Amino acid sequence: MANLRLENITRRFNNVTAIEDITFKVPDGEFWVLVGPSGCGKSTIMRTIAGLETATSGNLYIQDILVNNVPARQRDVAMVFQNYALYPHMTVAENLAFGLKMRNFEATKIRERVENVARSLSIDHLLNRKPKQLSGGQQQRVALGRAIAREPKVFLLDEPLSNLDAQLRDDTRAELKQLHQRLGITTVYVTHDQVEAMTLADKIVVLNQGKIQQIGEPQNIYAKPANRMVATFLGNPSMNILPATYTNSTFQIGSQSLACPPSIRERLQPRDGQGFDLGIRPEYIEIFGSFSKQEDDLNSDLWALEKLPLEVEVKVVEPLGRETLIRAALPILGGDNSVTSIQIQVPANVRLHPGDRISVELDFNHLFVFDPTTGEALYP
Ligand code: ATP
């Protein structure tokens, strides 16, 4: 077991900067997840840790030892990549044992480790099969098992579950979590899957265009994103961004005005008259009524309810089982036809149809405000 420290790591390929000034420290035994859009530098970070890529500048430490010049095979780092390669001519048992044999482990020790790992991944009944006699999911477990059997200092997993079907992916994710709890091996994990990131990570590192945007515990990043990119990237369906202006304690979205909640007013007062991006997650928007009902409903005390009403037109209705996702159009400029799309998550029993015009309420306790130019979070 070991801690892992990246210090100001930059990697350039000719004129492409794949990663820039990456600094973070994974404490001994923690499970960290790297997320970010395609091309943001996740694999480059993993390959640099593994020693398959040389940093242009910066330092990498494993267990507080500088390993910049230590070759990959001496770093005691085990990797499982999306396109794992099992040795096709070897049985499962031989594949699991391979790394241990290369390190001259005793035969009895090898057998013991292979059996333990196979049992923990439920592949112990497959030990005599060759890879081509296994399903994709079983092959993936063997690849994981081969890395686990080595009991490395650091475990690098680059989208290891992406070849599995949904059910197997869920099961293997839970197994991975249990396995990590048991073995406590320092792990860095790359995924595009939000659920994997949120459920597995001690800390999430959000990357964009080669740079770290935010590092934090999953729930903290979700609740308090550092900027618009992080806010819209984490969460599925993703956060709505509504362009607005703020004048005299009022947000203006197209022709619609919303009184600015007192808690936000203070923060925005010095920027009166400017544009902002308002953020609200789909689960914090509620259907409030149809246009015909609106006047009555407006009589209720919206301030007391801590809700902000908006009028939108339903465009697409997507039933998801437990809830339904509504995509609606919200006019953003008075007079012309400019609209922005807004996503609303409603209970499955709410029946709506494309073309319905409805009022929705934004829960202002869950409102975010971003600088429209820099994307920096201004509130909360
Ligand atoms: P994905 O999610 O699609 O796997 P990623 O976040 O892992 O992407 P990287 O593969 O690390 O991204 O790539 C980061 C950037 O560096 C990209 O712009 C990529 O085109 C560039 N890059 C990576 N490897 C090389 C290389 N060998 N030569 C030139 N550019 C490269």
Side-chain angles (χ1 to χ4, degrees):
M1 295 219 292
N3 61 47
L4 170 72
R5 182 151 53 98
L6 286 79
E7 228 175 54
N8 310 109
I9 298 228
T10 294
R11 176 64 168 113
R12 290 195 191 89
F13 298 99
N14 301 317
N15 54 357
V16 176
T17 303
I19 51 174
E20 190 175 348
D21 203 21
I22 300 293
T23 297
F24 62 82
K25 180 178 174 184
V26 184
D28 194 4
E30 289 204 355
F31 196 116
W32 281 38
V33 176
L34 310 184
V35 298
S38 189
C40 69
K42 303 179 294 291
S43 295
T44 306
I45 293 178
M46 298 293 261
R47 291 172 57 77
T48 307
I49 299 170
L52 302 174
E53 203 74 80
T54 307
T56 310
S57 59
N59 291 322
L60 178 73
Y61 300 85
I62 296 175
Q63 215 165 12
D64 298 320
I65 295 169
L66 184 67
V67 295
N68 287 18
N69 299 316
V70 175
R73 71 197 134 72
Q74 288 171 19
R75 288 193 184 187
D76 206 359
V77 167
M79 295 170 292
V80 178
F81 290 123
Q82 182 180 354
N83 300 316
Y84 53 84
L86 297 177
Y87 300 108
H89 57 287
M90 292 184 190
T91 62
V92 168
E94 287 163 345
N95 265 286
L96 292 176
F98 185 78
L100 302 175
K101 271 200 181 140
M102 296 304 285
R103 282 169 183 73
N104 299 321
F105 274 60
E106 283 174 22
T108 46
K109 184 81 193 160
I110 294 179
R111 200 173 322 117
E112 190 187 317
R113 282 241 191 129
V114 165
E115 282 170 7
N116 282 343
V117 168
R119 214 173 307 119
S120 67
L121 288 170
S122 310
I123 48 174
D124 42 342
H125 59 299
L126 305 171
L127 285 171
N128 294 321
R129 291 204 201 164
K130 298 267 176 68
K132 69 170 185 304
Q133 298 169 306
L134 304 175
S135 72
Q138 290 166 338
Q139 288 182 30
Q140 188 67 304
R141 283 156 197 252
V142 178
L144 277 172
R146 192 173 54 179
I148 292 166
R150 282 179 45 193
E151 295 183 7
K153 282 199 187 112
V154 176
F155 217 0
L156 301 178
L157 304 172
D158 195 344
E159 299 199 59
L161 309 185
S162 57
N163 290 341
L164 308 184
D165 68 37
Q167 180 63 50
L168 200 53
R169 201 176 170 132
D170 286 354
D171 293 347
T172 314
R173 188 185 70 226
E175 276 166 17
L176 254 182
K177 184 147 187 163
Q178 278 183 347
L179 209 63
H180 180 257
Q181 283 162 356
R182 209 166 58 239
L183 301 176
I185 295 176
T186 309
T187 303
V188 184
Y189 189 99
V190 164
T191 183
H192 280 105
D193 184 302
Q194 302 265 331
V195 179
E196 276 174 29
M198 295 297 284
T199 55
L200 290 173
D202 288 311
K203 292 264 172 67
I204 290 180
V205 180
V206 186
L207 295 147
N208 194 28
Q209 298 180 342
K211 293 189 191 145
I212 293 178
Q213 304 295 307
Q214 191 169 5
I215 298 178
E217 290 172 18
Q219 282 304 337
N220 288 350
I221 296 193
Y222 189 79
K224 217 166 179 311
N227 58 41
R228 189 178 46 206
M229 181 267 151
V230 175
T232 51
F233 188 79
L234 272 193
N236 188 16
S238 70
M239 184 186 285
N240 294 293
I241 298 292
L242 313 175
T245 50
Y246 173 82
T247 321
N248 289 335
S249 308
T250 305
F251 283 121
Q252 190 76 23
I253 304 178
S255 58
Q256 307 189 49
S257 302
L258 303 178
C260 178
S263 50
I264 305 181
R265 227 180 275 167
E266 236 171 75
R267 201 78 63 84
L268 299 191
Q269 212 55 55
R271 302 171 74 154
D272 198 272
Q274 294 181 15
F276 295 94
D277 282 343
L278 295 186
I280 182 94
R281 296 197 185 276
E283 60 268 34
Y284 294 115
I285 304 180
E286 275 179 33
I287 305 275
F288 172 70
S290 66
F291 274 18
S292 52
K293 271 172 62 193
Q294 190 203 5
E295 241 163 71
D296 290 344
D297 288 349
L298 269 179
N299 291 334
S300 59
D301 185 353
L302 284 167
W303 272 135
L305 293 171
E306 305 192 330
K307 305 280 165 125
L308 302 170
L310 270 182
E311 298 169 356
V312 300
E313 181 179 334
V314 175
K315 291 291 184 190
V316 181
V317 178
E318 296 176 280
L320 300 173
R322 199 175 49 178
E323 70 259 324
T324 298
L325 186 64
I326 307 293
R327 290 173 199 269
L330 169 70
I332 50 172
L333 292 172
D336 73 10
N337 293 325
S338 295
V339 292
T340 190
S341 176
I342 182 167
Q343 297 191 83
I344 307 158
Q345 209 165 306
V346 298
N349 60 0
V350 174
R351 301 271 171 223
L352 287 168
H353 306 279
D356 286 351
R357 284 156 56 81
I358 54 171
S359 283
V360 295
E361 308 166 322
L362 317 185
D363 180 342
F364 77 58
N365 288 315
H366 292 93
L367 210 54
F368 295 79
V369 184
F370 304 99
D371 183 303
T373 313
T374 63
E376 177 202 354
L378 302 172
Y379 183 90

